[in-house]
């Protein structure tokens, strides 16, 4: 008898979630690896109705191990894709490698980095 490991493995947790959101501020929490397999999850989350009103977002990346360029560009598109409203974005807790990837994608031109 063979075991299908895909069925017996635990369901992975999403690498990004909306930790809190109200009319003025939203916090997105990132964890693990944000790479090609997670791109669709990220793009769908960035379209969530709870992110339409807040004028300030905090991207908590303290638990994020890795982000690839495709996901960094998705973040950049989300931030710059709505010129009719300004959203102040703060990236908190990004590790050096994550910070470097965000900078390579140009995200550093539209966000503020905090420790």
């Amino acid at each position: 008898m063979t075991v299908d490991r895909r069925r017996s493995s635990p369901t992975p947790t999403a690498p990004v979630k909306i930790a809190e959101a109200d009319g003025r501020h939203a916090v997105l929490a990132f964890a693990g690896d944000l790479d090609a397999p997670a791109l669709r999850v990220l793009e769908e989350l960035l379209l969530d109705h709870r992110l339409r009103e807040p004028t300030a977002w905090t991207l908590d990346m303290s638990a994020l191990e890795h982000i690839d360029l495709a996901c960094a560009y998705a973040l950049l598109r989300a931030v710059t894709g709505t010129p009719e409203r300004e959203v102040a974005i703060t990236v908190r807790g990004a590790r050096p490698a994550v910070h470097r990837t965000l900078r390579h994608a140009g995200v550093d031109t539209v966000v503020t980095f905090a420790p």
Side-chain angles (χ1 to χ4, degrees):
M1 179 167 118
T2 48
V3 176
D4 185 350
R5 295 188 189 277
R6 291 173 292 175
R7 291 187 182 185
S8 62
S9 64
T11 304
T13 57
V16 60
K17 67 180 181 178
I18 298 173
E20 62 183 75
D22 61 28
R24 294 185 318 226
H25 187 248
V27 177
L28 283 71
F30 296 79
D33 292 327
L34 196 57
D35 51 16
L39 181 58
R40 181 176 299 269
V41 172
L42 174 62
E43 290 176 331
E44 287 175 5
L45 179 105
L46 292 171
L47 294 173
D48 190 290
H49 72 281
R50 294 172 289 174
L51 298 178
R52 289 187 191 140
E53 285 185 40
T55 56
W57 292 2
T58 298
L59 308 181
D60 182 354
M61 296 190 168
S62 57
L64 187 63
E65 299 288 330
H66 168 79
I67 185 171
D68 71 3
L69 276 173
C71 292
Y73 284 126
L75 286 172
L76 182 62
R77 283 190 306 274
V79 173
T80 60
T82 55
E84 66 276 358
R85 87 180 161 104
E86 280 193 36
V87 178
I89 310 272
T90 301
V91 173
R92 184 174 63 210
R95 297 168 193 254
V98 170
H99 189 181
R100 189 169 36 255
T101 302
L102 294 173
R103 193 174 62 245
H104 283 255
V107 174
D108 62 325
T109 63
V110 293
V111 304
T112 302
F113 287 92

